[in-house]
Amino acid sequence: MEGHSSDAVIAIDKLVKKFGEKVVLNEFTVDLKRGENLVVLGRSGSGKSVLIKCVIGLMRPESGTINVLGEDVLSLDHDGLDNIRSRVGFLFQSNALYDSMTVKQNLEFPMRRHLKNIDFKESMDRIMDALENVGLAHTLNMMPSELSGGMQKRIALARTLILNPEIILYDEPTTGLDPITGKEITLLIKDIQEKYKTSSIIISHDMKCVKRAADRIAVLVNGSCYAVDTYDNLKRSSDPNINQFFE
Amino acid sequence: MRMPDSFNKYLDETGATSRFTYRYFHELVRPRYEIRQFLRQCYLIGYTSLPLIGITGFIMGLVLTIQLRPSLISYGVESQLPVMVALAIVREIGPVITALIFAGKISSSIGAELGSMKVTEQIDAMEVSGTNPFKYLVVTRVAASTLMLPVLVMISDAISLYGSYLGVNIRGNTSLRLFFFQVFQTLQFGDVLPAFIKTFFFGFAIGIIGCYKGYNSSKGTEGVGRSANSAVVVSSLMVFIIDLIAVQITDILGLN
Ligand SMILES: Nc1ncnc2c1ncn2[C@@H]1O[C@H](COP(=O)(O)OP(=O)(O)OP(=O)(O)O)[C@@H](O)[C@H]1O
Ligand SMILES: [Mg+2]
């Protein structure tokens, strides 16, 4: 796309999202480059979840453009959107594991839906791979409610990985976990980036996670992208809008 | 002139429910069809309600018979007891009571289930997994409850009549064959058909209201509770409203 560096896998331009009178995103602009981990930093309620839900077409912005893997998300029809969604993984803030299904069925679901005629053996192999990636192969036949919060997060991550996405959107992957589990998840995210060469947008205000995982950080203030830079550069900044996150 | 807020809210809600209903029919006819989910819901909604519906139906028939006997004796028409009870059950009490119990059980559980799926982003997760959650969750549940309630009502009616037969036999003496012979001789097409048709509308209303409340649940566990609760209240009310409309229509059509 013109105006953006050619290696951008997601290009968000002048995104505006309102709920009634309330402006949540106001001309938000940012690029995600191939292979990088971009962290979006912002206060609670600043519109971070809304931002990545717009990227995957779960919410419709009022104006602006979103380009994902060369496709203009806002002008895609149903099938086009499905195609993009099969290439972009989404880790939900609340895990969103289907609580009426076992772990196995949870992982099967996106596969059976996106790849309509995948055979049984291949799907089983992929499930075991994904579970081993997150170290939870033994939970195959358990229900999500039998798992701890950290385990649920890892299963959700396994479900996100099962379609081998090129891009992963993480919505607060470490929030609500103890520091040790949080660190494990962060390392897992780094591993995935290196192993599968994925590009990711990570939403977080857990500074330990941010420091470890981020290649670049976008600071979301008052609905727009206030600054984009590396962790070290932002930490040195004297701007109070940026400082507040690094205390 | 300004309308009071509560009235505006009522109109908003009515409008939103109508759009939701329109969307249901729109998605119902368009492929792809979630047959497996539909059958699963028929099982969950229909089969698992059987014991409850059966027990209440049985008690209903028995109690009604015992209660009616003294009045009929005082008019000297005790022999008409089976017929009176059968008419009451088949035409009115069977469908309405079964629908109310169904509303209490199904509407609230659908409301709570979809509500918690909504607030824990499971519905969003379905959507990004290449599934239309409205088809997968709403269409299957509404279709299942529309089709299962009539079946449950028929079963409940039959069990009620058996309960009534036992009730008759507490003080009197009649054979099962004689009882049902008497009942079927009096029951007319016009008694059965309108009652049967309206149960589809009951089932539809109960399903769609449960789904609407759950699907539009507000954030937080409190929102889920409120969805489940108002699903039961509104769908029970709708059962009576539909019943009222149905009786007017059958009256106009001269089916009485
Ligand atoms: N469906 C919706 N309807 C109305 N307002 C909404 C909706 N979704 C989000 N909002 C509003 O948009 C704002 C941003 O919400 P969002 O969930 O993106 O916050 P967030 O940055 O992810 O916060 P957190 O860190 O707490 O998850 C909030 O003020 C919220 O009230
Ligand atoms: Mg959020």
Side-chain angles (χ1 to χ4, degrees), chain A residues 53 56 58 82 85 90 92-101 109-110 112-114 116 159 171, chain B residues 32 34 36-37 40 113 116-117 119-122 124-132 136 219:
Chain A
K53 283 187 177 170
I56 196 87
L58 283 173
D82 264 357
R85 284 169 175 167
F90 196 119
F92 286 89
Q93 186 165 355
S94 49
N95 296 334
L97 293 176
Y98 307 123
D99 41 31
S100 60
M101 303 183 195
F109 193 85
R112 263 213 260 112
R113 294 281 156 169
H114 275 307
K116 301 219 159 67
R159 189 178 66 183
D171 196 351
Chain B
R32 97 187 230 181
E34 302 281 358
R36 271 178 60 136
Q37 263 306 300
R40 201 177 113 84
E113 190 187 8
S116 75
M117 291 188 77
V119 303
T120 59
E121 300 177 302
Q122 290 175 56
D124 282 345
M126 283 198 168
E127 186 146 4
V128 300
S129 296
T131 300
N132 177 343
Y136 192 87
K219 272 248 155 78

Side-chain angles (χ1 to χ4, degrees), chain A residues 19 22 24 43-50 59 93 172 205:
Chain A
F19 289 104
K22 187 171 162 189
V24 176
R43 308 263 307 258
S44 187
S46 59
K48 298 171 294 319
S49 300
V50 169
M59 286 182 178
Q93 186 165 355
E172 309 204 6
H205 27 217

